[in-house]
Amino acid sequence: MDKKGQFFKRLFKARYHSVYSFFLKRLGSPEDAADASQETFMRMVRHNGAISLKSPDSYLFRTARNLATDMLRTRAVRSKYTEAADIEAQPSTAPLQDAALD
């Protein structure tokens, strides 16, 4: 394994639980926390100069905070539109069962 791979492996082992806990508190869902944690580390891996950062922990948690903010905004927008278009609250246009039997 190369130097970059070893760096990220150590970072992942050392910080995954902290990042996951951060997301679990912010997002409230274990599934969302796991997805967001994975995305955070993937963004860190994609950052070309990550291995030479002075404070990789700061960059990691800044990335996590930004991702949590984005996810909460997306969730708020989705809930706004799904409440407006709640399918179960809409009256059915299907004929009643009695009318269909007749």
Side-chain angles (χ1 to χ4, degrees), residues 4 7-8 44-54:
K4 187 175 181 181
F7 168 77
F8 285 117
M44 187 83 172
V45 168
R46 280 182 255 158
H47 184 271
N48 290 330
I51 197 166
S52 63
L53 290 171
K54 290 181 182 177

Side-chain angles (χ1 to χ4, degrees), residues 43-80:
R43 288 183 182 188
M44 187 83 172
V45 168
R46 280 182 255 158
H47 184 271
N48 290 330
I51 197 166
S52 63
L53 290 171
K54 290 181 182 177
S55 179
D57 286 345
S58 295
Y59 184 83
L60 182 69
F61 281 97
R62 171 63 74 171
T63 302
R65 190 171 76 189
N66 291 344
L67 184 57
T69 300
D70 292 345
M71 291 178 78
L72 290 170
R73 281 184 193 147
T74 300
R75 189 184 285 174
V77 170
R78 278 193 188 137
S79 69
K80 178 181 172 184

Side-chain angles (χ1 to χ4, degrees), residues 8-102:
F8 285 117
K9 186 175 180 179
R10 282 194 318 270
L11 182 66
F12 183 82
K13 284 183 176 184
R15 297 290 176 242
Y16 179 81
H17 183 70
S18 299
V19 171
Y20 177 82
S21 296
F22 168 81
F23 281 118
L24 189 58
K25 288 176 190 173
R26 292 264 175 129
L27 304 176
S29 164
E31 294 83 13
D32 288 345
D35 290 344
S37 298
Q38 180 179 358
E39 178 62 26
T40 299
F41 281 98
M42 288 307 299
R43 288 183 182 188
M44 187 83 172
V45 168
R46 280 182 255 158
H47 184 271
N48 290 330
I51 197 166
S52 63
L53 290 171
K54 290 181 182 177
S55 179
D57 286 345
S58 295
Y59 184 83
L60 182 69
F61 281 97
R62 171 63 74 171
T63 302
R65 190 171 76 189
N66 291 344
L67 184 57
T69 300
D70 292 345
M71 291 178 78
L72 290 170
R73 281 184 193 147
T74 300
R75 189 184 285 174
V77 170
R78 278 193 188 137
S79 69
K80 178 181 172 184
Y81 287 106
T82 55
E83 287 174 10
D86 188 9
I87 294 174
E88 301 214 11
Q90 302 295 325
S92 174
T93 57
L96 296 175
Q97 289 180 352
D98 294 341
L101 289 175
D102 288 338

